[in-house]
Every structure is written in structure tokens, then in C-alpha cells.
Amino acid sequence: FLRFCHLLQIDATSPPIPYTDLTNMFYIYMLEDAQPRLQPDTANQYVSHLVYALKYFQLVHPDAVIRTNPTHQLHQAYRRDFKEHVHDRDTCTIPMTFPLLCEVVRAALRMYTGLLHSSVPAALGVAFACSLRPGEYLKQSGHIDKSKLLTAKETYGWYNSVAYRADQMSDWPQGYPDLFTLSAPSRKCKPGRSGPRVIYPNPDRQHWLCVVRLLTDYLRLAQPKHTDPLFLDAHGHCLDNALVLPPIAQVARQHGLDPSRMTLQCLRYGVNVQLPEDTPEFVRLNQGGWSSGQGARHYWHQLMTHGQAVQPSVYDTKTIPTELIENLYSRHTPLGPPLKKGRADYK
């Protein structure tokens, strides 16, 4: 961005035009003139980082709207022009929504017994609420990357601002914690490693599905040891992705959807799809997907702020009904333009 401003011979900290217009020009520059040219989605991510930086360094007001509706339309127009980078609705991953997650968890409860009856639903809920990558909580094709895997010793339940570690379940108070944090508070997000995550309970106390309750019930049953992965199978080993996929595939078939398009990645991006249209840029970032340059304390403050902001969307039952997912992604649906992440398509 600074190189772009230098080419225009303007001061990036006090440009002669609004930052909204300058941001749109920067997006076009990355797609038209920059070498190498970027894909539209990559350029859009760069713009998101730029907007966050402008607010972080107080160059604009924290509540300022930099990315307007014309910005979104510009991005969609370029995506349509770059045909090779556009994922048609008949091939893209189907997003997981909270109503669909409820059905998947019910399917897992019917499908498994013993420890898997508890561990698979908990893994599904935590992956959805925390935007986890599969390698951060599952064994994939028999391979475990210990640099990414969440463990019991780095999982904490918080009761009245007091943290209790998941590998010491005998010390936990009765009832359910106020929230969970996954990964040690001192760990910062680094490339290829899991950043800290936070899970809040369902604000609707009457709803049967709450990720905090799922995870607590599983931990009380599993009693993981100090070095154990967070999620275990019936033999005490790391939970395999082959055990998590069957309930997802079953629900997909029930709704006439292609199971091959409902992968574990659909859990990672489900919450983001449900966010309201006016959600700030910082909240749109997935948990664990940003880093802090001001140390662990600042990162921890960011994490808690982000978790509280996305909590209503994690348990949202109304924004995207399951019937709409069926209509948009059914194998019998005529091809249409790529599904937008804007909320206008869902209303």
C-alpha cells in the first residue's frame, strides 16, 4: 500500500481523497498493474488487512466505514471477470450453519456410543465455534502435526475469572464454566500454528445445543491426561477425521446435498457466513487468523473482544435457514452466479 501511495505521490497518512476511494483504487491497482497480479480474493484479503491497519493506527475513526457497498460490488465484478478463480455454486464448499450443525450433532449422537458419543459432537461444536482448521484438532490420514494440535494442557475452563485446566478435571467445580479458552494465553498466532481461541456459551439458555456444555461433558467423561490431544477416540488416541465426516455426510444426503462438498472446511467458515452485513472488519476475521505486534496481553484482549462480538452469530438460528442452503446448493439447482458472502442474498 505504501508503494502504491508512493507511485501516486501522496502521503498515506493524510491523502487528499477519502480512504474509501483510495482503498478502491488500491484494490484495482493490485489486480491491474501490480506485478505479479493478484487473484481477486487475495486482493480482497489485503484490503481487509489495510482497513484494520488504518483503524489500528488511528488514521480513521474506529467506527468509520471504509468498505462500502460499491467496494463489495467492485470485488464481485472482478471475480466474475476472473473466470478461472470463480467457484460456481455447483462446486464450492457448502457452508455449515448453526441449524445444520444441530442436525449434524444429533446424527453423531445417534451414530456413536461410548466416548465417541461425546467426543465427536464436542469436536464438531468446537470446530464450528472456533473456526478451527482440521489439523488443529484431528488426525488426518493417520498424520498428526503436533505444532498445530490443540491439547488438554492448553485448554481452560473459566469459573468466575478462575481458570481450570482440562487435564486436571478432578479439580473442576460443579456445573458449567463461563467460557473456554483453547491454547495457552501466552501463545501468539504464528504461521502454521494455532492461535488462541475462545468459546462462549449459547446466550439462549433454553436451546439444547451449547458448545460450552458439549465440551465440558466430554472432558468430564474423557479425563484427558497432560500430554493428550484435546479430542480422543475410544482407544485414547487423537480423534481421526474419518470419525467426524460420517454425520456431516449423512445430514448432507438428507437435504439432497453433495456430501463431497460438505467437508471439514465447512465448519471453519460457518460462523463468518452468518455474520450481519454491518459487522466490523476485525470481527470478520476467523479466530486464530490474525496476529498481534504488541505481545500476548494485547492479543488476549483482542481475542476476548472478538469472541464476545461473534457469540450471537455462533448460535444464530434465523439468519440462514436450512431451506435456503437446500435451494442454493442442491445438486438439482440450476447454475447461478457465485454465492456472495453479503447478507443481501440470505434475506
Side-chain angles (χ1 to χ4, degrees), residues 206-240:
Q206 303 302 317
H207 198 281
W208 71 274
L209 182 57
C210 172
V211 179
V212 169
R213 295 201 296 265
L214 282 177
L215 184 54
T216 304
D217 293 340
Y218 156 70
L219 291 173
R220 293 191 191 280
L221 179 63
Q223 297 287 322
K225 299 181 178 63
H226 182 72
T227 57
D228 281 344
L230 179 57
F231 296 107
L232 303 173
D233 61 16
H235 303 288
H237 302 142
C238 182
L239 191 65
D240 196 286

Side-chain angles (χ1 to χ4, degrees), residues 188-333:
K188 293 167 60 178
C189 180
K190 298 180 181 179
R193 295 190 65 185
S194 171
R197 307 298 214 280
V198 61
I199 308 173
Y200 284 90
N202 193 335
D204 182 3
R205 301 294 181 178
Q206 303 302 317
H207 198 281
W208 71 274
L209 182 57
C210 172
V211 179
V212 169
R213 295 201 296 265
L214 282 177
L215 184 54
T216 304
D217 293 340
Y218 156 70
L219 291 173
R220 293 191 191 280
L221 179 63
Q223 297 287 322
K225 299 181 178 63
H226 182 72
T227 57
D228 281 344
L230 179 57
F231 296 107
L232 303 173
D233 61 16
H235 303 288
H237 302 142
C238 182
L239 191 65
D240 196 286
N241 61 353
L243 296 170
V244 180
L245 285 171
I248 298 177
Q250 183 183 104
V251 171
R253 286 190 290 267
Q254 289 174 354
H255 290 282
L257 304 173
D258 185 354
S260 66
R261 293 166 56 200
M262 289 197 72
T263 64
L264 294 173
Q265 286 293 338
C266 71
L267 293 166
R268 173 162 169 75
Y269 299 106
V271 173
N272 206 321
V273 170
Q274 297 184 152
L275 292 174
E277 182 68 39
D278 57 351
T279 300
E281 291 293 332
F282 171 65
V283 179
R284 288 189 178 277
L285 299 175
N286 287 327
Q287 284 198 44
W290 72 93
S291 60
S292 166
Q294 296 192 6
R297 184 181 297 275
H298 182 71
Y299 190 109
W300 192 245
H301 174 73
Q302 285 183 310
L303 176 68
M304 304 303 286
T305 303
H306 182 276
Q308 292 173 342
V310 302
Q311 179 192 18
S313 294
V314 171
Y315 300 102
D316 186 0
T317 61
K318 299 179 179 179
T319 300
I320 307 179
T322 302
E323 293 78 9
L324 182 57
I325 295 293
E326 292 178 359
N327 293 334
L328 288 174
Y329 293 100
S330 171
R331 280 171 287 186
H332 305 291
T333 300

Side-chain angles (χ1 to χ4, degrees), residues 24 41 45 72 186 207 221 305:
N24 291 341
D41 287 345
Q45 292 175 357
H72 178 70
S186 60
H207 198 281
L221 179 63
T305 303

Side-chain angles (χ1 to χ4, degrees), residues 152-155 164-170 172 223-227:
K153 67 180 180 181
E154 295 179 334
T155 300
Y164 294 84
R165 221 162 60 187
D167 61 338
Q168 300 172 347
M169 293 303 298
S170 59
W172 281 42
Q223 297 287 322
K225 299 181 178 63
H226 182 72
T227 57

